[in-house]
Amino acid sequence: MTSKTKSERLRRLLSHGYFAPELPPCFVSYDLAKYRKSVLDGIEAMPLIRGKPAFHRYISEPSWFYFPRFGKDDRRHGVPNPLAYLLLSRAVADNYIKMRTAAKSSRISSSPPIFDWNGPRALIRPNIDLRDDFRVDLSSRREEFVGADIRAFFHSIYTHAIPWAIHGKAFAKLNRGAEHFGNLIDLLCRNAQDGQTIGLPVGPDCSRLIAEVVASAIDVALRAKVGIGPRDASRYIDDYTISSSADHSGKNLIAALRQAAAQYELELNNDKSVILPTSSRHDNGWKQEVRSYVPRGPSSDAEFQHFFYRVGRVCDAHPDTNVEKYAFQNARASFVRTTNWAKVQSHLIAAYRRNASLVAFLVEITLLRQAERNDVELPKLTEFLEHRLPVLARENRTGEIIWFLFLAARLRVPLSASSVEPLTEIDNSMVALLTAVCANLRLVEGAIDFTRWNSALSGDGLRSSMWLYAYESVGLGINPVPSTAFIEADPYFALLQARKIRFLSITTGFTSINTTLRSLRGDNVRLQRVRDDFLDDFTFELDEFDNDDDYEVEDDAY
C-alpha cells in the first residue's frame, strides 16, 4: 500500500494532477513527480532574497488553450509552469488535510475533494449526476428550489480570498506572512499567473482543491444566513440547488447566496439565477434510453445506422444536454470492433463537425481502431485535416488543433505546409510543440517557419506561456535550434534539464481497447462508490481511495 506521506501525496498531484484532462495523453508529468525531491532540494539551496526564499519571486505564465464545450463558448484551460506547479503542489500536499477539513465545513457540497491513489486523476472528478439525484429527491419534499451559479467561477477567484477561506477573513487581513499556509498558497497562485490576483487555471487538480475550499467558505456563510443543511441544499462545483425548510422565499435565498459570494469577491451569474417549481419534469432516463441502442459485438452497418438515428432523436428531445457524447462513449467497443469502419469513421467526423466537444473522442476511437484493426482510412483523414486545420487556426480553436496534431503524429498522417503554416501565427506552446513533432517526423511536406515560436528560446521564454515549447522542443532535439544553453543558464529549468525531465511522450495513451475499457470500468466503480456514499444522506464520509498495488522507486535511488 502506498504510504500516505506528504511526499507521496505530492507525487500524485504531480503525476496525475498536472496536465488538464482535456489534453491528449501524450502530455505527461511522471518525470516531474519522480524527481520532485531533487528539484525541490535544488530550489531550496538557492540563496535567500531579502531574507526570503528565492522561489517567492519566481513569477511565470501558464500555457493556455481553449477547449470546446457543448452549447457554450470554448473554455480557457491552463498548464502552469512546471516549477510553479511543483511549488504550489508541495504547499497543497503539505497542508492537504487542513484544506480538506476546511472544504468539509461546507456540508452541502456534492463535489468534495476525494483523493485517489490509483485512478486517472489525483482527485476524483465530480459527477453531475449527484446534482440531479439531489434535485429528484428534493422534488418529493419541497415546493420550489433555487438554481444558481457563480459567474466564471475558476477564472474569477480572487487569490487573496484563499487565505480568507482557510484562516478566516479577519485573521488573514491582519496576518499576511507566508508562514501561514493560506498566504503561501495565495502567493504561489499569483506567481504562477504572472502576478495576477484574479483567477485559477482550469485543469490542474490543485486548482480544483483550492476552488472547493473557497466555495465551501461561501457555503458556510450561506448556511449562517438562512440556516440550511444537507437536506435543503447542494452545490456541484459552483452550481447551487437551494431550498428552505424555514419558508425563505426564492428571492431571499438568491439574495443570501449573492451576499455570501460577495464576501469572497465573487458574483452570481444573473442569467442562471432562477426559481424553479419542484413539479418540473426530471428527464434523467435519457441515459438508459441511449444505452439501450448501443450495438453489441462486431456490429453491422444497419445496426449503426439505427444507433445514430435513435441517438439523434434523443438529442432533439434534449437540445441542452450533450446526449451524443454520452451515447458515443458508451459505444466505444462497438465503434472499435464494427465490421464497417469506413462508414463509422465518416459518421464520427460528421458528429464532431456539429459538436466540437467530441474532438477528443474522435481521436481516441480512431487511434484505438488503428491499433485493433489497422484499417483507418488515412487518405480521407488526411483530406479532413488538410481542410480543418486552417479553419481552426483562423478561429484560434487551440484545443481541437492540439488533438488533431496528436492524431497526425501518431498515425503518421502527411500534412502540406500550406495547411500547417497558419498554425505558426498562434502563440500556443502545445500547438508549437506538436507541430515541431510532425515536422521532425517529416510529415509536413514543405518548410515551416519556426521564427515566431523560436523567439521564446530564452530565459524569459521559459517563464512565458511558451515555456513548454521552449524547454521541450529543444530538450527533445526536435527544434531546428539545437542549443540548450539558455535552459542550462536558467537556475530553475537547469534542475529539470539535469534530470532529463520530459513532458511529452507521443506514443502514450490509446494503445488498446481492452486496456481502455478496463481503466474505464475501474473509474465507474469509484464513481459508483462516491454516488452511493452521497445518496445515503447527501453528505460524504469517503475521503480517499486506497491503492494496494502502487509502488515507486524514490528518485534518489537513480
Side-chain angles (χ1 to χ4, degrees), residues 179-196:
E179 65 273 14
H180 302 291
F181 76 89
N183 293 331
L184 177 61
I185 290 174
D186 171 15
L187 171 67
L188 296 175
C189 286
R190 282 183 280 127
N191 286 354
Q193 296 188 107
D194 201 25
Q196 299 296 314

mmCIF file with all atom_site columns, all heavy atoms in Angstrom, residues 179-196:
data_model
loop_
_atom_site.group_PDB
_atom_site.id
_atom_site.type_symbol
_atom_site.label_atom_id
_atom_site.label_alt_id
_atom_site.label_comp_id
_atom_site.label_asym_id
_atom_site.label_entity_id
_atom_site.label_seq_id
_atom_site.pdbx_PDB_ins_code
_atom_site.Cartn_x
_atom_site.Cartn_y
_atom_site.Cartn_z
_atom_site.occupancy
_atom_site.B_iso_or_equiv
_atom_site.pdbx_formal_charge
_atom_site.auth_seq_id
_atom_site.auth_comp_id
_atom_site.auth_asym_id
_atom_site.auth_atom_id
_atom_site.pdbx_PDB_model_num
ATOM 1   N N   . GLU A 1 179 ? 4.287  32.418 6.442   1.00 0.00 ? 179 GLU A N   1
ATOM 2   C CA  . GLU A 1 179 ? 4.336  31.325 7.412   1.00 0.00 ? 179 GLU A CA  1
ATOM 3   C C   . GLU A 1 179 ? 2.945  30.726 7.627   1.00 0.00 ? 179 GLU A C   1
ATOM 4   O O   . GLU A 1 179 ? 2.810  29.609 8.135   1.00 0.00 ? 179 GLU A O   1
ATOM 5   C CB  . GLU A 1 179 ? 4.911  31.804 8.751   1.00 0.00 ? 179 GLU A CB  1
ATOM 6   C CG  . GLU A 1 179 ? 4.068  32.833 9.494   1.00 0.00 ? 179 GLU A CG  1
ATOM 7   C CD  . GLU A 1 179 ? 4.364  34.266 9.079   1.00 0.00 ? 179 GLU A CD  1
ATOM 8   O OE1 . GLU A 1 179 ? 5.034  34.450 8.035   1.00 0.00 ? 179 GLU A OE1 1
ATOM 9   O OE2 . GLU A 1 179 ? 3.940  35.194 9.796   1.00 0.00 ? 179 GLU A OE2 1
ATOM 10  N N   . HIS A 1 180 ? 1.897  31.452 7.240   1.00 0.00 ? 180 HIS A N   1
ATOM 11  C CA  . HIS A 1 180 ? 0.530  30.930 7.259   1.00 0.00 ? 180 HIS A CA  1
ATOM 12  C C   . HIS A 1 180 ? 0.267  30.352 5.871   1.00 0.00 ? 180 HIS A C   1
ATOM 13  O O   . HIS A 1 180 ? 0.332  31.060 4.862   1.00 0.00 ? 180 HIS A O   1
ATOM 14  C CB  . HIS A 1 180 ? -0.464 32.035 7.595   1.00 0.00 ? 180 HIS A CB  1
ATOM 15  C CG  . HIS A 1 180 ? -0.192 32.704 8.912   1.00 0.00 ? 180 HIS A CG  1
ATOM 16  N ND1 . HIS A 1 180 ? -0.352 32.070 10.117  1.00 0.00 ? 180 HIS A ND1 1
ATOM 17  C CD2 . HIS A 1 180 ? 0.284  33.952 9.198   1.00 0.00 ? 180 HIS A CD2 1
ATOM 18  C CE1 . HIS A 1 180 ? -0.020 32.895 11.106  1.00 0.00 ? 180 HIS A CE1 1
ATOM 19  N NE2 . HIS A 1 180 ? 0.375  34.036 10.566  1.00 0.00 ? 180 HIS A NE2 1
ATOM 20  N N   . PHE A 1 181 ? -0.041 29.068 5.797   1.00 0.00 ? 181 PHE A N   1
ATOM 21  C CA  . PHE A 1 181 ? -0.017 28.386 4.505   1.00 0.00 ? 181 PHE A CA  1
ATOM 22  C C   . PHE A 1 181 ? -1.047 28.930 3.519   1.00 0.00 ? 181 PHE A C   1
ATOM 23  O O   . PHE A 1 181 ? -0.856 28.850 2.304   1.00 0.00 ? 181 PHE A O   1
ATOM 24  C CB  . PHE A 1 181 ? -0.163 26.874 4.685   1.00 0.00 ? 181 PHE A CB  1
ATOM 25  C CG  . PHE A 1 181 ? -1.558 26.383 4.992   1.00 0.00 ? 181 PHE A CG  1
ATOM 26  C CD1 . PHE A 1 181 ? -2.443 26.047 3.984   1.00 0.00 ? 181 PHE A CD1 1
ATOM 27  C CD2 . PHE A 1 181 ? -1.979 26.227 6.311   1.00 0.00 ? 181 PHE A CD2 1
ATOM 28  C CE1 . PHE A 1 181 ? -3.701 25.570 4.261   1.00 0.00 ? 181 PHE A CE1 1
ATOM 29  C CE2 . PHE A 1 181 ? -3.242 25.757 6.604   1.00 0.00 ? 181 PHE A CE2 1
ATOM 30  C CZ  . PHE A 1 181 ? -4.121 25.422 5.577   1.00 0.00 ? 181 PHE A CZ  1
ATOM 31  N N   . GLY A 1 182 ? -2.129 29.493 4.005   1.00 0.00 ? 182 GLY A N   1
ATOM 32  C CA  . GLY A 1 182 ? -3.092 30.107 3.093   1.00 0.00 ? 182 GLY A CA  1
ATOM 33  C C   . GLY A 1 182 ? -2.478 31.265 2.328   1.00 0.00 ? 182 GLY A C   1
ATOM 34  O O   . GLY A 1 182 ? -2.722 31.440 1.128   1.00 0.00 ? 182 GLY A O   1
ATOM 35  N N   . ASN A 1 183 ? -1.660 32.055 3.022   1.00 0.00 ? 183 ASN A N   1
ATOM 36  C CA  . ASN A 1 183 ? -0.967 33.165 2.359   1.00 0.00 ? 183 ASN A CA  1
ATOM 37  C C   . ASN A 1 183 ? 0.078  32.645 1.373   1.00 0.00 ? 183 ASN A C   1
ATOM 38  O O   . ASN A 1 183 ? 0.291  33.237 0.309   1.00 0.00 ? 183 ASN A O   1
ATOM 39  C CB  . ASN A 1 183 ? -0.296 34.061 3.397   1.00 0.00 ? 183 ASN A CB  1
ATOM 40  C CG  . ASN A 1 183 ? -1.291 34.785 4.274   1.00 0.00 ? 183 ASN A CG  1
ATOM 41  O OD1 . ASN A 1 183 ? -2.405 35.071 3.852   1.00 0.00 ? 183 ASN A OD1 1
ATOM 42  N ND2 . ASN A 1 183 ? -0.909 35.067 5.511   1.00 0.00 ? 183 ASN A ND2 1
ATOM 43  N N   . LEU A 1 184 ? 0.750  31.560 1.728   1.00 0.00 ? 184 LEU A N   1
ATOM 44  C CA  . LEU A 1 184 ? 1.740  30.978 0.819   1.00 0.00 ? 184 LEU A CA  1
ATOM 45  C C   . LEU A 1 184 ? 1.057  30.484 -0.458  1.00 0.00 ? 184 LEU A C   1
ATOM 46  O O   . LEU A 1 184 ? 1.557  30.717 -1.572  1.00 0.00 ? 184 LEU A O   1
ATOM 47  C CB  . LEU A 1 184 ? 2.473  29.834 1.513   1.00 0.00 ? 184 LEU A CB  1
ATOM 48  C CG  . LEU A 1 184 ? 3.492  29.083 0.652   1.00 0.00 ? 184 LEU A CG  1
ATOM 49  C CD1 . LEU A 1 184 ? 4.596  30.012 0.168   1.00 0.00 ? 184 LEU A CD1 1
ATOM 50  C CD2 . LEU A 1 184 ? 4.076  27.896 1.416   1.00 0.00 ? 184 LEU A CD2 1
ATOM 51  N N   . ILE A 1 185 ? -0.077 29.821 -0.314  1.00 0.00 ? 185 ILE A N   1
ATOM 52  C CA  . ILE A 1 185 ? -0.800 29.339 -1.494  1.00 0.00 ? 185 ILE A CA  1
ATOM 53  C C   . ILE A 1 185 ? -1.275 30.512 -2.342  1.00 0.00 ? 185 ILE A C   1
ATOM 54  O O   . ILE A 1 185 ? -1.201 30.479 -3.580  1.00 0.00 ? 185 ILE A O   1
ATOM 55  C CB  . ILE A 1 185 ? -1.963 28.431 -1.064  1.00 0.00 ? 185 ILE A CB  1
ATOM 56  C CG1 . ILE A 1 185 ? -1.406 27.118 -0.501  1.00 0.00 ? 185 ILE A CG1 1
ATOM 57  C CG2 . ILE A 1 185 ? -2.911 28.149 -2.226  1.00 0.00 ? 185 ILE A CG2 1
ATOM 58  C CD1 . ILE A 1 185 ? -2.445 26.200 0.083   1.00 0.00 ? 185 ILE A CD1 1
ATOM 59  N N   . ASP A 1 186 ? -1.740 31.568 -1.694  1.00 0.00 ? 186 ASP A N   1
ATOM 60  C CA  . ASP A 1 186 ? -2.121 32.799 -2.396  1.00 0.00 ? 186 ASP A CA  1
ATOM 61  C C   . ASP A 1 186 ? -0.943 33.317 -3.217  1.00 0.00 ? 186 ASP A C   1
ATOM 62  O O   . ASP A 1 186 ? -1.057 33.602 -4.417  1.00 0.00 ? 186 ASP A O   1
ATOM 63  C CB  . ASP A 1 186 ? -2.584 33.827 -1.363  1.00 0.00 ? 186 ASP A CB  1
ATOM 64  C CG  . ASP A 1 186 ? -2.804 35.236 -1.929  1.00 0.00 ? 186 ASP A CG  1
ATOM 65  O OD1 . ASP A 1 186 ? -2.881 35.383 -3.169  1.00 0.00 ? 186 ASP A OD1 1
ATOM 66  O OD2 . ASP A 1 186 ? -2.881 36.181 -1.130  1.00 0.00 ? 186 ASP A OD2 1
ATOM 67  N N   . LEU A 1 187 ? 0.219  33.427 -2.595  1.00 0.00 ? 187 LEU A N   1
ATOM 68  C CA  . LEU A 1 187 ? 1.423  33.930 -3.270  1.00 0.00 ? 187 LEU A CA  1
ATOM 69  C C   . LEU A 1 187 ? 1.795  33.045 -4.458  1.00 0.00 ? 187 LEU A C   1
ATOM 70  O O   . LEU A 1 187 ? 2.074  33.536 -5.564  1.00 0.00 ? 187 LEU A O   1
ATOM 71  C CB  . LEU A 1 187 ? 2.585  33.982 -2.280  1.00 0.00 ? 187 LEU A CB  1
ATOM 72  C CG  . LEU A 1 187 ? 3.976  34.291 -2.866  1.00 0.00 ? 187 LEU A CG  1
ATOM 73  C CD1 . LEU A 1 187 ? 4.024  35.713 -3.405  1.00 0.00 ? 187 LEU A CD1 1
ATOM 74  C CD2 . LEU A 1 187 ? 5.061  34.054 -1.820  1.00 0.00 ? 187 LEU A CD2 1
ATOM 75  N N   . LEU A 1 188 ? 1.787  31.727 -4.256  1.00 0.00 ? 188 LEU A N   1
ATOM 76  C CA  . LEU A 1 188 ? 2.200  30.812 -5.319  1.00 0.00 ? 188 LEU A CA  1
ATOM 77  C C   . LEU A 1 188 ? 1.196  30.790 -6.467  1.00 0.00 ? 188 LEU A C   1
ATOM 78  O O   . LEU A 1 188 ? 1.585  30.625 -7.632  1.00 0.00 ? 188 LEU A O   1
ATOM 79  C CB  . LEU A 1 188 ? 2.401  29.410 -4.752  1.00 0.00 ? 188 LEU A CB  1
ATOM 80  C CG  . LEU A 1 188 ? 3.534  29.278 -3.727  1.00 0.00 ? 188 LEU A CG  1
ATOM 81  C CD1 . LEU A 1 188 ? 3.558  27.881 -3.133  1.00 0.00 ? 188 LEU A CD1 1
ATOM 82  C CD2 . LEU A 1 188 ? 4.884  29.619 -4.355  1.00 0.00 ? 188 LEU A CD2 1
ATOM 83  N N   . CYS A 1 189 ? -0.077 30.963 -6.170  1.00 0.00 ? 189 CYS A N   1
ATOM 84  C CA  . CYS A 1 189 ? -1.088 31.065 -7.232  1.00 0.00 ? 189 CYS A CA  1
ATOM 85  C C   . CYS A 1 189 ? -0.864 32.324 -8.063  1.00 0.00 ? 189 CYS A C   1
ATOM 86  O O   . CYS A 1 189 ? -0.942 32.295 -9.300  1.00 0.00 ? 189 CYS A O   1
ATOM 87  C CB  . CYS A 1 189 ? -2.497 31.073 -6.642  1.00 0.00 ? 189 CYS A CB  1
ATOM 88  S SG  . CYS A 1 189 ? -3.084 29.474 -6.047  1.00 0.00 ? 189 CYS A SG  1
ATOM 89  N N   . ARG A 1 190 ? -0.587 33.428 -7.396  1.00 0.00 ? 190 ARG A N   1
ATOM 90  C CA  . ARG A 1 190 ? -0.308 34.677 -8.122  1.00 0.00 ? 190 ARG A CA  1
ATOM 91  C C   . ARG A 1 190 ? 0.952  34.550 -8.962  1.00 0.00 ? 190 ARG A C   1
ATOM 92  O O   . ARG A 1 190 ? 0.988  34.927 -10.136 1.00 0.00 ? 190 ARG A O   1
ATOM 93  C CB  . ARG A 1 190 ? -0.161 35.839 -7.139  1.00 0.00 ? 190 ARG A CB  1
ATOM 94  C CG  . ARG A 1 190 ? -1.481 36.375 -6.621  1.00 0.00 ? 190 ARG A CG  1
ATOM 95  C CD  . ARG A 1 190 ? -1.260 37.570 -5.713  1.00 0.00 ? 190 ARG A CD  1
ATOM 96  N NE  . ARG A 1 190 ? -0.873 37.187 -4.361  1.00 0.00 ? 190 ARG A NE  1
ATOM 97  C CZ  . ARG A 1 190 ? 0.179  37.639 -3.716  1.00 0.00 ? 190 ARG A CZ  1
ATOM 98  N NH1 . ARG A 1 190 ? 1.016  38.493 -4.297  1.00 0.00 ? 190 ARG A NH1 1
ATOM 99  N NH2 . ARG A 1 190 ? 0.432  37.254 -2.482  1.00 0.00 ? 190 ARG A NH2 1
ATOM 100 N N   . ASN A 1 191 ? 1.993  34.001 -8.369  1.00 0.00 ? 191 ASN A N   1
ATOM 101 C CA  . ASN A 1 191 ? 3.257  33.871 -9.086  1.00 0.00 ? 191 ASN A CA  1
ATOM 102 C C   . ASN A 1 191 ? 3.127  32.980 -10.318 1.00 0.00 ? 191 ASN A C   1
ATOM 103 O O   . ASN A 1 191 ? 3.822  33.169 -11.310 1.00 0.00 ? 191 ASN A O   1
ATOM 104 C CB  . ASN A 1 191 ? 4.334  33.297 -8.157  1.00 0.00 ? 191 ASN A CB  1
ATOM 105 C CG  . ASN A 1 191 ? 4.823  34.315 -7.147  1.00 0.00 ? 191 ASN A CG  1
ATOM 106 O OD1 . ASN A 1 191 ? 4.447  35.481 -7.186  1.00 0.00 ? 191 ASN A OD1 1
ATOM 107 N ND2 . ASN A 1 191 ? 5.659  33.865 -6.223  1.00 0.00 ? 191 ASN A ND2 1
ATOM 108 N N   . ALA A 1 192 ? 2.230  32.003 -10.246 1.00 0.00 ? 192 ALA A N   1
ATOM 109 C CA  . ALA A 1 192 ? 2.038  31.079 -11.375 1.00 0.00 ? 192 ALA A CA  1
ATOM 110 C C   . ALA A 1 192 ? 1.227  31.700 -12.499 1.00 0.00 ? 192 ALA A C   1
ATOM 111 O O   . ALA A 1 192 ? 1.095  31.103 -13.571 1.00 0.00 ? 192 ALA A O   1
ATOM 112 C CB  . ALA A 1 192 ? 1.346  29.808 -10.894 1.00 0.00 ? 192 ALA A CB  1
ATOM 113 N N   . GLN A 1 193 ? 0.675  32.902 -12.257 1.00 0.00 ? 193 GLN A N   1
ATOM 114 C CA  . GLN A 1 193 ? -0.134 33.585 -13.264 1.00 0.00 ? 193 GLN A CA  1
ATOM 115 C C   . GLN A 1 193 ? 0.371  35.004 -13.493 1.00 0.00 ? 193 GLN A C   1
ATOM 116 O O   . GLN A 1 193 ? -0.401 35.945 -13.555 1.00 0.00 ? 193 GLN A O   1
ATOM 117 C CB  . GLN A 1 193 ? -1.610 33.603 -12.864 1.00 0.00 ? 193 GLN A CB  1
ATOM 118 C CG  . GLN A 1 193 ? -2.234 32.226 -12.793 1.00 0.00 ? 193 GLN A CG  1
ATOM 119 C CD  . GLN A 1 193 ? -3.735 32.305 -12.592 1.00 0.00 ? 193 GLN A CD  1
ATOM 120 O OE1 . GLN A 1 193 ? -4.511 32.047 -13.508 1.00 0.00 ? 193 GLN A OE1 1
ATOM 121 N NE2 . GLN A 1 193 ? -4.157 32.678 -11.401 1.00 0.00 ? 193 GLN A NE2 1
ATOM 122 N N   . ASP A 1 194 ? 1.694  35.124 -13.603 1.00 0.00 ? 194 ASP A N   1
ATOM 123 C CA  . ASP A 1 194 ? 2.330  36.396 -13.929 1.00 0.00 ? 194 ASP A CA  1
ATOM 124 C C   . ASP A 1 194 ? 1.987  37.484 -12.917 1.00 0.00 ? 194 ASP A C   1
ATOM 125 O O   . ASP A 1 194 ? 1.903  38.667 -13.250 1.00 0.00 ? 194 ASP A O   1
ATOM 126 C CB  . ASP A 1 194 ? 1.915  36.843 -15.337 1.00 0.00 ? 194 ASP A CB  1
ATOM 127 C CG  . ASP A 1 194 ? 2.901  37.843 -15.937 1.00 0.00 ? 194 ASP A CG  1
ATOM 128 O OD1 . ASP A 1 194 ? 4.080  37.833 -15.538 1.00 0.00 ? 194 ASP A OD1 1
ATOM 129 O OD2 . ASP A 1 194 ? 2.483  38.635 -16.798 1.00 0.00 ? 194 ASP A OD2 1
ATOM 130 N N   . GLY A 1 195 ? 1.741  37.079 -11.666 1.00 0.00 ? 195 GLY A N   1
ATOM 131 C CA  . GLY A 1 195 ? 1.469  38.038 -10.609 1.00 0.00 ? 195 GLY A CA  1
ATOM 132 C C   . GLY A 1 195 ? 0.017  38.465 -10.507 1.00 0.00 ? 195 GLY A C   1
ATOM 133 O O   . GLY A 1 195 ? -0.315 39.303 -9.664  1.00 0.00 ? 195 GLY A O   1
ATOM 134 N N   . GLN A 1 196 ? -0.850 37.917 -11.342 1.00 0.00 ? 196 GLN A N   1
ATOM 135 C CA  . GLN A 1 196 ? -2.260 38.322 -11.336 1.00 0.00 ? 196 GLN A CA  1
ATOM 136 C C   . GLN A 1 196 ? -2.977 37.777 -10.099 1.00 0.00 ? 196 GLN A C   1
ATOM 137 O O   . GLN A 1 196 ? -2.743 36.648 -9.671  1.00 0.00 ? 196 GLN A O   1
ATOM 138 C CB  . GLN A 1 196 ? -2.964 37.818 -12.598 1.00 0.00 ? 196 GLN A CB  1
ATOM 139 C CG  . GLN A 1 196 ? -2.384 38.359 -13.882 1.00 0.00 ? 196 GLN A CG  1
ATOM 140 C CD  . GLN A 1 196 ? -2.534 39.866 -13.999 1.00 0.00 ? 196 GLN A CD  1
ATOM 141 O OE1 . GLN A 1 196 ? -3.608 40.413 -13.730 1.00 0.00 ? 196 GLN A OE1 1
ATOM 142 N NE2 . GLN A 1 196 ? -1.465 40.540 -14.388 1.00 0.00 ? 196 GLN A NE2 1
#
